[in-house]
């Protein structure tokens, strides 16, 4: 049966692999099997028969390791070798000290006989011999089996070398086998020693190449005409232009053969030619994939390392990896001679690449690209022929796809860009040829891959530079060097002129091709530092394009070109310092800020003070040697004056986050790919935004800011004119997001422009910007707040975070929230103004500390700390946090004003602590104040040194714990998050010398916790237990005193233990359960208190006895008397607390069974019959214990007696009832 035969043939094809000499004993049987199934009508059976011969030939002719070891045996004998650190790594296989298989003379001779046995009928069939009648497709498959199996002994091409020179001719290096298969005059294949050039003998590779070339010439024909059904587009459009298009067609299939069979034949022919040319070509992609798979297996070894499947998979990957290393090394030793036969075979592959069938094209293009990598001499011929096909208007769709696929090879593209002449030819062929307006999806997909390859390596050829020794030689070469330089400039101008002509406004071109051509032009201009007038105007005209991707590219391109003459030194942003301004005067507040009136004062404001009164002055950097020509600047300036409004209008439409582009998703995807290729070499954008796209989360685009800034700097008349003023006024009167975003970008560009000029320019910009900011603060839209936030942040960032340089802006923003009582009591206006004010405080940090405290005073005076609106409260809390972070910095004295404010808020919140649960919301003002206080504390301590802010946190801690169970959902959620943040905070570390020692800070927190655990409100007591559940493991080292608890426990640990033990007897069951979980975390995290290290300390032993005594508390009988009922409840609470405490001790050891655990666990069995909630808690202990110990129960079982095991089975499993 076919299925059984296929399975047996598959197994038989795997057995000979790397069997070596053992294969010789079974050659007769293997040849018999091959003879039977190679003539089968089933393609699968013929394929498996060919695999058998391939495996046999590889086993006989290759050099390979007979054993596989990841490391040398001597390493395993070294006791100091930590093998786990080298898992998944590879070593040099030469140092593995393993045995290798090297073919012997007998094996090579038998391989030659086997090749003779396979190839003789196959070559006869292809030659048309009647004796060897057969299917040509099967004959090619047999040749392919020999090429893949015996490729180590195929030899090299020995005909005439076409390209002479040291770079083209390589000496044949001896192979590890020392033999080569050669073909005699009578067609017999023999094994000859290397270097034996007997008369009439040729290498087997040369012989097969001649045969395949004859087959290719026989089965393919060239014709300059096209069939009627495939007329070119020029005939449809009425054009008579035609290029030297060449159509490669397959001969009509003979009788009895289908067209599909003919396609398979030509596809196999292309694969055979590729294998002959690219003998031993290393598949680097497969090698990389194998290595990554091996590394991925190493990363997942924790999940499945113990399974045999994973181990075998890793061994197979190691074997494949080492085999590929061996093949790559052997491929590098082979000769690379560009002979006439190589040229003929590459020519055949070129013709096959233009075939009408996709499978043929794919096989031929893959082989041709590999041949180009091996023989770079063929790049020029292949590239020009493919470009002629692309350029021709008469080329068919199939020919275009085939030619474009070949040109997408990066090796070919790099080689073709080595000279400007070739680059010009490439540009004209790609962007003014026959495929730039082709609407077929397959053509566009093929060209997209080509464009990505083109842009990834796009650059201008290097200017000729000659380095010579000696003065005489330098004089002789000086004239020649100047001549080469002039020639280079002339050719470069022709190339850029060709670009400009192709991209001219009157030339109709598909948007994708225009986008790529513009990108290519930008790369050539930047790499050559040549900026002719027409090329620069291409980017200026592109600002008015209807295509979003092209506009975006032209914005970046024009910005990069203009930045060459507008470069300034960028000083690093100063870090925290004791000083906040550049002089010794008191820091200025909005009340004391005065406008700058002199040039000297403006110059002092530009100075940046860093650390110990070190002043850095911003200076203009040395301009680059390359500058824009005056004519270019003049024409660009005239264009911008005429089209400024149109450019700004298109910039308004260039916000895809606010208004999606009119282009389809397909177009946007292609544009994104092209932009990603260019992003690595174009100038970086504002550090405040996305470094690649330059767009902020709000839609604010810093690329627009950079472009407008450079336009104002290069052409001051654009800013001084009335058009920009009128346009900005119209934008300010609209509430549309796109217009508001563009207005914010214009304002940012104007303020950045003023920083690099004189005081007069600064006053002029202030006159322009200040009314816009004031109008936005009063009449702005809530949806545009984020855009204006990014606008102000970028402006402050450009001043190196020095508020003195934009004092007018700081003054307006600080005073606006408190200028009117209506604004103070409102919601939308207050939120908008406070949000923008916070952006200034966040960016300026400690440099605006005085402004921040002035704002806090105003917030307190205007009763905004308890504002009724939620959004305003959030911003007030964030402003308080920003001022706190600015005030609490290293080497800075503690600010008493914040301490006073915290104490005042804590005193105002005292009534909340006396209210019952759910009644806190009666006083809305106090709840609003509590929400502001919590919002203040969260950002202040989020992932920071919490101990630094202990004087602010501890007074508010009782209110935070109390509000966790508030009826106000907003207050409860924020209080829980705030408490969790404080518990996770670093109370054990503080870099400030003025802060008290860290252990003291932890002890202060625990003392406050101890006090809060006695609160009459059970919600607070539960919050205390939940807080300790996180706080204790986080600071276990400090709580335990820095070591293992043995004799005497640390006072902090005693405080934690006593607090939790007292909460275990709480009247509320929720508090008792939370305390049990807290006790379990303490025992698990602190060594010596019952955790995994250190055993039991004296403190833990005493605690265990106390818990055991509590669990034995007798419960009085039920009675209706009030006093007896109260005593019964107290007994239940105490007994339940003891059970929870013992449960915490048992569950603190989830992966171990110490000596004390069996007795303690079995002692809880009697509690399973106690009343609720004691019985429920006791049952959960047994269930959880069995769940955590079931993996190693065969080990833990020995630590229990038979009686204990019986009790454990009864309590740990559910009852089963039978009917």
């Amino acid at each position: 049966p076919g299925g059984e035969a296929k399975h047996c043939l598959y197994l038989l094809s795997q057995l000979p692999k790397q069997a070596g000499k053992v294969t010789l004993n079974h050659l007769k049987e293997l040849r018999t099997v091959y003879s039977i199934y190679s003539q089968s009508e089933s393609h699968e059976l013929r394929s498996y028969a060919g695999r058998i011969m391939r495996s046999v030939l590889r086993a006989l002719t290759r050099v390979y390791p007979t054993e596989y070891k990841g490391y040398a045996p001597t390493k395993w004998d070294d006791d100091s070798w930590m093998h786990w650190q080298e898992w998944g790594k590879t070593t040099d296989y030469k140092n593995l000290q393993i045995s290798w298989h090297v073919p012997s003379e007998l094996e090579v001779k038998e391989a030659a006989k086997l090749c003779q046995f396979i190839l003789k009928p196959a070559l006869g069939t292809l030659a048309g011999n009647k004796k060897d009648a057969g299917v040509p497709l099967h004959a090619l498959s047999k040749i392919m089996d020999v090429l893949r199996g015996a490729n180590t002994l195929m030899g090299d091409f020995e005909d005439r070398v076409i390209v002479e020179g040291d770079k083209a001719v390589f000496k044949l290096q001896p192979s590890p086998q020392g033999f080569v298969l050669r073909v005699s005059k009578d067609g017999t294949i023999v094994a000859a020693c290397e270097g034996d050039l007997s008369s009439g003998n040729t290498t087997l590779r040369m012989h097969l190449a001649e045969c395949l070339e004859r087959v290719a010439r026989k089965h393919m024909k060239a014709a300059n005409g096209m069939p009627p059904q495939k007329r070119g587009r020029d005939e449809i459009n009425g054009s008579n232009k035609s290029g030297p298009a060449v159509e490669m067609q397959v001969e009509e299939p003979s009788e009895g053969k289908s067209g599909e069979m003919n396609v398979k034949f030509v596809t196999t022919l292309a694969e055979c030619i590729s294998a002959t040319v690219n003998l031993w070509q290393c598949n680097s992609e497969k090698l990389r994939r194998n290595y990554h798979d091996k590394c991925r297996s190493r990363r997942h070894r924790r999940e499945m390392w113990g399974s045999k499947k994973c181990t075998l998979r890793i061994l197979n990957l190691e074997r494949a990896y080492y085999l590929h290393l061996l093949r790559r090394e052997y491929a590098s030793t082979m000769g690379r001679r560009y002979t006439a036969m190589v040229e003929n075979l590459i020519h055949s592959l070129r013709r096959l690449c233009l075939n009408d069938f996709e499978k043929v094209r794919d096989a031929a293009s893959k082989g041709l690209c590999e041949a180009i990598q091996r023989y770079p001499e063929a790049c020029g011929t292949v590239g020009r022929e493919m470009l002629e096909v692309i350029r021709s208007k008469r080329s068919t769709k199939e020919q275009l796809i085939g030619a474009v696929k070949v040109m997408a090879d990066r090796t070919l593209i790099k080689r073709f860009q080595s000279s400007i002449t070739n680059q010009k030819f490439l540009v004209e062929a790609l962007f003014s040829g026959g495929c730039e307006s082709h609407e077929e999806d397959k053509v566009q997909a093929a060209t997209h891959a080509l464009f990505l390859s083109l842009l990834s390596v796009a650059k201008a050829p290097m200017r000729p530079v000659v380095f010579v020794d000696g003065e005489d030689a330098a004089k002789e070469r000086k004239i020649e060097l100047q001549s080469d330089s002039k020639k280079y400039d002339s050719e470069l101008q022709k190339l850029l002129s060709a670009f400009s002509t192709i991209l001219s406004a009157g030339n109709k071109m598909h948007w994708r091709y225009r986008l790529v051509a513009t990108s290519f032009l930008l790369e050539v201009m930047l790499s050559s530092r040549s900026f002719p007038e027409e090329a620069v105007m291409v980017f200026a005209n592109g600002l008015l394009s209807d295509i979003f991707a092209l506009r975006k590219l032209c914005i970046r391109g024009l910005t990069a070109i203009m930045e060459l003459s507008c470069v300034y030194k960028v000083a690093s942003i100063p870090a925290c310092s004791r000083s906040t301004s550049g002089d010794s005067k008191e820091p200025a507040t909005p009340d004391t800020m005065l406008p700058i009136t002199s040039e000297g004062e403006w110059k002092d404001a530009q100075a940046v003070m860093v650390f110990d009164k070190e002043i850095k002055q911003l200076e203009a950097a040395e301009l680059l040697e390359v500058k824009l020509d005056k004519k270019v600047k003049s024409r660009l300036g005239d264009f911008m004056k005429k089209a400024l409004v149109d450019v700004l209008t298109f910039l308004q439409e260039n916000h895809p986050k606010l208004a999606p582009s009119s282009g389809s998703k397909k177009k946007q995807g292609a544009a994104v790919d092209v932009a990603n290729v260019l992003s690595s070499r174009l100038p970086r954008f504002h550090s405040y935004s996305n470094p690649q796209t330059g767009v902020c989360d709000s839609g604010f685009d810093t690329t627009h800011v950079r472009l407008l800034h450079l336009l104002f700097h290069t052409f001051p008349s654009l800013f001084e004119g009335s058009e920009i003023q009128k346009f900005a006024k119209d934008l300010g009167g609209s509430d549309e997001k796109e217009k508001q975003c563009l207005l914010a970008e214009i304002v940012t560009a104007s303020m950045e422009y003023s920083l690099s000029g004189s005081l007069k320019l600064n006053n002029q910009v202030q006159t322009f910007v200040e009314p816009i900011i004031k109008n936005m603060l009063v009449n702005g839209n809530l949806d545009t707040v984020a855009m204006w936030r990014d606008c102000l942040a970028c402006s402050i960032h450009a001043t190196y975070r020095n508020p003195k340089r934009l004092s007018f802006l700081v003054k307006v923003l600080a005073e606006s929230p408190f200028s009117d009582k209506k604004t103070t009591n409102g919601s939308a206006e207050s939120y908008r103004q406070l949000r923008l004010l916070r952006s200034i405080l966040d960016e300026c940090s400690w440099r605006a500390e005085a402004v921040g405290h002035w704002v806090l005073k105003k917030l307190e005076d205007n009763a905004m700390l308890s504002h009724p609106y939620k959004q305003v409260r959030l911003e007030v809390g964030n402003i308080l946090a920003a001022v706190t972070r600015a005030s609490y910095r290293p080497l800075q004295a503690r600010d008493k004003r914040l301490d006073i404010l915290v104490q005042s808020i804590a005193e105002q919140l005292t009534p909340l602590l006396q209210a019952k649960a759910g009644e806190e919301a009666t006083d809305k003002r106090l709840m609003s104040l509590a929400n502001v206080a919590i919002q203040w504390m969260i950002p202040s301590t989020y992932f920071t040194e919490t101990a630094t802010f202990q004087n602010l946190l501890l007074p508010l801690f009782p209110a935070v714990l109390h509000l966790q169970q508030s009826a106000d959902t907003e207050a409860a959620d924020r209080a829980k998050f705030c408490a969790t943040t404080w518990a996770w905070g670093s109370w054990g570390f503080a870099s400030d010398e003025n802060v008290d020692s860290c252990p003291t800070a932890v002890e202060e927190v625990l003392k406050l916790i101890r006090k809060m655990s006695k609160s009459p409100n059970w919600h607070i007591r539960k919050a205390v237990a939940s807080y300790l559940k996180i706080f204790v493991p986080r600071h276990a080292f400090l709580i335990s005193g820095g070591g293992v608890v043995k004799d005497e426990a640390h006072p902090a640990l005693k405080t934690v233990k006593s607090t939790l033990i007292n909460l275990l007897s709480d009247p509320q069951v929720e508090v008792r359960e939370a305390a049990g979980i807290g006790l379990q975390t303490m025992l698990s995290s602190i060594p010596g208190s019952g955790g995994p290290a250190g055993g039991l300390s004296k403190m833990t032993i005493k605690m265990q006895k106390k818990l055991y005594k509590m669990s034995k508390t007798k419960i009085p009988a039920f009675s209706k008397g009030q006093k007896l009922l109260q005593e019964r409840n107290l007994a239940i609470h105490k007994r339940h607390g003891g059970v929870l405490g013992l449960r915490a001790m048992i569950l603190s050891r989830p992966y171990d069974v110490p000596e004390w655990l069996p007795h303690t666990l079995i002692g809880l069995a009697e509690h399973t019959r106690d009343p609720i909630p004691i019985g429920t808690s006791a049952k959960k202990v047994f269930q959880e214990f069995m769940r955590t110990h079931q993996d190693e129960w065969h080990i833990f079982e020995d630590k229990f007696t038979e009686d204990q095991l019986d009790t454990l089975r009864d309590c740990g499993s559910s009852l089963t009832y039978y009917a």
Side-chain angles (χ1 to χ4, degrees), residues 823-1065:
T823 304
T824 305
N825 299 327
S827 171
E829 293 183 7
S830 297
Y831 165 73
R832 181 171 57 251
Q833 295 168 356
L834 292 174
R835 181 66 187 89
L836 298 179
L837 173 60
R838 179 164 71 91
S839 65
I840 295 293
L841 297 177
D842 284 338
E843 284 297 316
C844 293
S845 185
W846 55 272
R847 303 166 189 83
E849 180 184 356
V851 177
H853 283 286
W854 182 88
V855 171
L856 293 187
K857 181 64 175 174
K858 287 291 184 180
L859 289 174
E860 192 175 6
D861 295 343
N862 289 274
M864 296 186 72
L865 295 179
S866 56
H867 202 279
Y869 293 102
K870 177 180 178 180
Q871 288 183 325
V872 178
R873 290 198 299 269
L874 292 179
E875 291 306 321
V876 171
N878 290 330
I879 289 176
L880 290 171
V883 177
T884 302
R885 290 194 298 269
S887 300
Y888 282 76
R889 59 183 187 274
L891 305 179
Q892 177 71 17
R894 181 177 297 168
D895 200 320
K896 300 298 182 182
R897 289 175 290 183
L898 291 176
D899 295 350
I900 297 173
L901 179 61
V902 167
Q903 294 294 340
S904 174
I905 294 177
E907 292 175 0
Q908 295 181 51
L909 295 179
T910 302
L912 287 179
L913 302 179
Q914 301 172 357
K916 297 182 180 180
E919 298 180 358
E920 302 89 344
T922 54
D923 193 341
K924 293 184 178 180
R925 188 188 68 82
L926 288 182
M927 290 303 302
S928 299
L929 181 61
N931 287 324
V932 170
I934 294 174
Q935 184 63 28
W936 173 16
M937 292 297 109
I938 291 176
S940 298
T941 61
Y942 198 62
F943 296 124
T944 58
E945 301 169 3
T946 314
T948 306
F949 304 95
Q950 58 176 315
N951 59 319
L952 302 180
L953 302 181
L954 296 182
L956 296 177
F957 190 70
V960 172
L961 293 180
H962 181 83
L963 291 174
Q964 290 189 41
Q965 303 298 327
S966 173
D968 187 351
T969 307
E970 177 193 356
D973 293 342
R974 293 190 175 276
K976 291 177 182 178
F977 183 74
C978 185
T980 304
T981 305
W982 290 1
W984 273 96
S986 179
W987 291 90
F989 177 77
S991 59
D992 196 343
E993 297 177 356
N994 297 317
V995 178
D996 296 336
S997 61
C998 300
T1000 305
V1002 173
E1003 291 176 3
E1004 291 294 331
V1005 174
L1006 293 177
K1007 288 180 181 179
L1008 184 59
I1009 286 289
R1010 175 75 171 174
K1011 181 180 178 181
M1012 297 298 298
S1013 66
K1014 301 176 181 179
S1015 173
N1017 191 335
W1018 70 269
H1019 292 284
I1020 296 181
R1021 299 196 301 271
K1022 180 185 176 183
V1024 167
S1026 301
Y1027 184 85
L1028 289 175
K1029 179 179 66 175
I1030 303 174
F1031 182 82
V1032 173
R1034 182 72 171 169
H1035 303 84
F1037 184 79
L1038 293 175
I1039 292 175
S1040 63
V1044 178
V1045 180
K1046 291 184 179 180
D1047 298 333
E1048 188 66 25
H1050 193 269
L1053 182 58
K1054 290 182 178 180
T1055 304
V1056 173
K1057 189 263 300 182
S1058 59
T1059 302
L1060 293 174
I1061 293 296
N1062 292 338
L1063 291 176
L1064 284 175
S1065 303

Side-chain angles (χ1 to χ4, degrees), residues 16 41 276 426 524 645 701 735 768 1052-1053 1104 1124:
E41 296 181 357
T276 307
L426 177 67
V524 173
V645 177
D701 199 335
D735 292 337
F768 169 68
L1053 182 58
Q1104 184 183 18
L1124 295 177

Side-chain angles (χ1 to χ4, degrees), residues 731-732 734-744 784 788:
L731 293 178
S734 175
D735 292 337
E736 296 181 12
K737 292 182 180 180
E738 298 87 345
K739 293 184 178 180
Q740 286 292 317
C741 190
L742 179 60
L743 181 60
T784 61
W788 286 100

